[in-house]
Amino acid sequence: MLDVKNLQVAYGESEIISQLSFSVARKETLAIMGRNGMGKTTLMKALIGILKCRQGSVQVDGLDVAKFDSFKRVDSGLAYVPQGRQIFPTLSVEDNIRTGLVTVGKRKIDDWVYTLFPVLKEMRRRRGGNLSGGQQQQLAIARALVSEPKVLLLDEPTEGIQPSIIQDIARMLNELKKLRDITIVVSEQVLSFTLEIADRILVMEGGRFVHEDLRANVDEAKIHQYLAV
Amino acid sequence: MPLILATSFAELKDIFLMQGFAGFSLFAVFLLMALGLAIIFGQMKVINMAHGEFLTVGAYVTVFLSHMVVNHAPKLLPYYFPAAIVCAFVVAFILGYIVEIGLVKYLYNRPLDTLLATWGLSMILQQACRSLFGAREDTATLPEWMMGSWSPSEGLDIPINGMFLLALAIVMVLLVYALMYRSRWGLKVRATMQNRAMAGAVGINTKRVDRVTFALGCGLAGIAGAAFTTIGSVSPSAGSLYIVDTFIVVVFGGAASLLGTVLSAFTIAQSQSILEFFLTGVLAKIFVLVGVIILLMIRPQGLIASKVRR
């Protein structure tokens, strides 16, 4: 479903990711793990098009989107939940969700959104900026989901979120995988959360993948070692 | 003895009312200008020093049309003005669209560069108007029904063009409000202006939103130009006289607030108009500016700011 080949991303002269290739099967959940500064967020930003891909291809369901602007990538089936949520603070919760509906050309928010995120229904008239961190995270995920993506990109969804909400998010994602035909790429540092949702784990260091494990036979000790500072 | 003490209470009331209504004309032009700038500066954060020249362009379009009508179809004189408003909007909109593509889009998030570039643009546009229309002041021939005044009581004259402008400004405010806060396009604009990268990443074509938003702001200045022809004569530098006042209105109102812009345009236009009667124009302006400065020291975010954690 998502095929990345020889991807190269750089900030000016400093190359963060060089010659990175990986692919994610349909309905698979891939977790990309690694310490801070190893290139996870850079990879995510390059996939959604906030950063330019200098070289290589990013295929979504067979279509190469590497040269597209962000909005066209969303139209081609990608959706993005950024690190730090980045909801629109002065827009109401409803309006935040509606921004995701632009791509599909709808105005009305479907009921399943509020079924999946009951807290957003209570808060729907509030401004996004006045929500708590956990609520904002759910809002950011809802905003991404309403554009009906084939591939959902989640960048460190547990960062700065209290443990009980992390549990909720994991449960919600597993529910979502059952309900919908969706492929997920998630970057993470929290192994327990990752093990609850991921089918496969890649460990990233210095812009390259250095370790791969299926969840079925994951070597927790080894991954912990990679994540240790 | 100062004028204010010499006049009786009834006269004073009439003066306030009359100057108040004169202030409404100024309020309407301020408001139309500020509406455009509230979008361009308040939402997009582009310091557009050439905003005044879009007023000039709109005013010249109106004057040009009025000459055409007078010379070729005098029968249409009573009806041409609404068409002139639309034309002024369209011409300013197209010009704004071109300016965005050719200049402004390269300068987002570089406010000082934008300031210099648009200032240069304003000089180019002024000179272009001078070359095209001449440096002399020109006036539009107004339809009969817009001239004269309405006097509901003895000693009180309310100019009709002022009321027409006021109605026009109110209609435009309502239209802009509906567009920005009730339409899907407005949602795209507000999302883009808060976080351009993220708006793109949720599926909004931010470049197109930028182009149309900037052009819309310029188009509103064009309407302000059409309105301006009813209260003054047009010269190539007509718009540049309004640019500073317009920025003051937008900053004083609270950069991203439509209601703030309306309140602020009203306060500034009315205090200036009423003070002008008792003092000289320059002194009135000084008083208004001092008032604005003091209020901005107390409320740096402007009259109305959105209550949200950032």
Side-chain angles (χ1 to χ4, degrees):
Chain A
M1 180 55 79
L2 180 69
D3 274 297
V4 177
K5 285 205 186 73
N6 302 324
L7 186 69
Q8 189 187 358
V9 191
Y11 294 104
E13 288 301 299
S14 77
E15 198 173 87
I16 308 297
I17 291 173
S18 54
Q19 303 298 315
L20 192 77
S21 299
F22 66 97
S23 58
V24 193
R26 190 168 164 180
K27 299 199 76 167
E28 187 186 25
T29 299
L30 173 72
I32 295 173
M33 304 203 69
R35 282 174 284 142
N36 286 342
M38 288 302 152
K40 301 189 300 293
T41 295
T42 303
L43 173 62
M44 289 295 191
K45 284 185 175 170
L47 290 178
I48 195 62
I50 290 174
L51 290 174
K52 288 236 157 24
C53 309
R54 191 164 283 191
Q55 261 177 34
S57 69
V58 177
Q59 290 196 353
V60 181
D61 205 7
L63 178 70
D64 186 9
V65 300
K67 296 275 179 287
F68 286 7
D69 281 336
S70 293
F71 79 95
K72 272 197 192 158
R73 299 192 193 204
V74 176
D75 201 30
S76 312
L78 283 175
Y80 172 61
V81 179
Q83 187 172 25
R85 283 95 60 179
Q86 300 199 25
I87 46 108
F88 303 111
T90 66
L91 263 57
S92 70
V93 167
E94 273 180 325
D95 278 351
N96 264 284
I97 299 173
R98 284 202 189 103
T99 59
L101 285 170
V102 165
T103 306
V104 284
K106 284 198 289 193
R107 279 191 81 109
K108 199 181 160 298
I109 301 165
D110 287 331
D111 292 338
W112 61 261
V113 179
Y114 293 134
T115 317
L116 216 50
F117 305 98
V119 67
L120 296 183
K121 184 164 194 173
E122 282 165 47
M123 302 278 175
R124 66 187 187 278
R125 307 241 180 259
R126 294 258 211 113
R127 287 177 193 267
N130 294 340
L131 265 54
S132 74
Q135 291 163 345
Q136 288 188 2
Q137 187 66 60
Q138 299 185 48
L139 177 56
I141 296 173
R143 179 181 66 178
L145 285 177
V146 292
S147 66
E148 294 168 11
K150 297 171 185 162
V151 180
L152 178 65
L153 308 170
L154 291 161
D155 195 0
E156 299 215 23
T158 64
E159 190 200 32
I161 309 279
Q162 68 180 39
S164 69
I165 307 280
I166 294 182
Q167 284 293 315
D168 284 349
I169 292 175
R171 215 173 303 131
M172 186 276 300
L173 286 174
N174 282 324
E175 182 118 340
L176 185 75
K177 281 159 66 177
K178 271 185 246 155
L179 286 172
R180 295 247 221 138
D181 184 9
I182 193 163
T183 308
I184 301 177
V185 179
V186 55
S187 84
E188 253 313 326
Q189 299 201 43
V190 180
L191 189 56
S192 58
F193 173 79
T194 309
L195 289 174
E196 271 186 64
I197 57 165
D199 302 313
R200 186 159 56 105
I201 297 172
L202 284 171
V203 179
M204 197 174 203
E205 243 181 32
R208 285 176 302 118
F209 293 129
V210 292
H211 182 75
E212 178 167 3
D213 255 339
L214 289 176
R215 175 169 54 178
N217 47 5
V218 72
D219 184 351
E220 283 191 46
K222 186 146 192 208
I223 292 178
H224 265 303
Q225 234 170 33
Y226 280 117
L227 294 177
V229 182
Chain B
M1 194 170 8
L3 183 63
I4 194 162
L5 298 179
T7 43
S8 74
F9 179 74
E11 279 172 34
L12 203 62
K13 193 191 83 189
D14 280 350
I15 290 169
F16 265 95
L17 273 173
M18 243 157 75
Q19 286 304 109
F21 273 98
F24 275 132
S25 308
L26 192 63
F27 166 56
V29 175
F30 271 1
L31 186 52
L32 286 168
M33 279 289 277
L35 265 184
L37 201 66
I39 292 173
I40 290 176
F41 174 65
Q43 297 276 353
M44 302 178 79
K45 306 279 179 285
V46 171
I47 301 177
N48 183 17
M49 294 303 285
H51 198 68
E53 273 55 49
F54 288 92
L55 176 144
T56 314
V57 167
Y60 269 116
V61 168
T62 311
V63 168
F64 178 74
L65 266 179
S66 92
H67 289 339
M68 291 285 281
V69 167
V70 169
N71 291 334
H72 300 292
K75 272 190 203 145
L76 293 178
L77 194 59
Y79 314 108
Y80 88 94
F81 203 76
I85 292 173
V86 175
C87 288
F89 174 81
V90 170
V91 172
F93 183 95
I94 293 171
L95 189 64
Y97 199 87
I98 296 169
V99 166
E100 206 279 345
I101 293 174
L103 182 71
V104 175
K105 85 167 175 203
Y106 301 104
L107 300 171
Y108 288 120
N109 300 322
R110 289 162 63 186
L112 289 179
D113 301 351
T114 317
L115 188 144
L116 287 177
T118 52
W119 193 47
L121 177 72
S122 89
M123 289 194 281
I124 294 171
L125 288 175
Q126 274 187 38
Q127 191 52 48
C129 287
R130 211 163 278 139
S131 307
L132 268 172
F133 302 104
R136 284 189 33 219
E137 297 201 344
D138 209 341
T139 46
T141 313
L142 291 180
E144 199 80 20
W145 56 267
M146 278 180 76
M147 292 189 282
S149 61
W150 173 58
S151 42
S153 73
E154 189 76 20
L156 179 63
D157 288 305
I158 295 163
I160 289 172
N161 60 1
M163 288 196 290
F164 175 78
L165 289 190
L166 190 62
L168 177 68
I170 290 170
V171 168
M172 292 318 296
V173 168
L174 294 177
L175 274 178
V176 168
Y177 175 82
L179 198 62
M180 293 295 287
Y181 294 96
R182 291 283 173 266
S183 79
R184 188 145 57 149
W185 187 79
L187 180 68
K188 290 190 210 177
V189 175
R190 285 179 293 144
T192 305
M193 299 326 154
Q194 283 189 37
N195 188 337
R196 196 167 268 119
M198 197 55 228
V202 296
I204 295 168
N205 185 348
T206 55
K207 285 177 187 161
R208 200 164 137 238
V209 167
D210 285 335
R211 281 199 298 272
V212 178
T213 310
F214 188 84
L216 180 77
C218 295
L220 286 168
I223 294 183
F228 174 78
T229 58
T230 67
I231 57 168
S233 54
V234 188
S235 70
S237 56
S240 58
L241 302 174
Y242 278 88
I243 185 69
V244 175
D245 285 329
T246 310
F247 267 107
I248 292 170
V249 167
V250 173
V251 172
F252 183 56
S257 160
L258 210 55
L259 182 63
T261 305
V262 175
L263 287 178
S264 146
F266 183 80
T267 317
I268 291 176
Q270 288 301 349
S271 33
Q272 188 159 327
S273 173
I274 289 172
L275 282 173
E276 249 170 28
F277 190 84
F278 301 109
L279 308 161
T280 61
V282 175
L283 262 181
K285 183 139 259 174
I286 290 172
F287 269 92
V288 170
L289 283 179
V290 168
V292 166
I293 291 170
I294 290 171
L295 269 162
L296 281 179
M297 282 156 93
I298 302 167
R299 272 185 79 81
Q301 68 276 47
L303 284 178
I304 303 217
S306 59
K307 294 180 196 69
V308 69
R309 291 188 271 172
R310 289 197 187 253

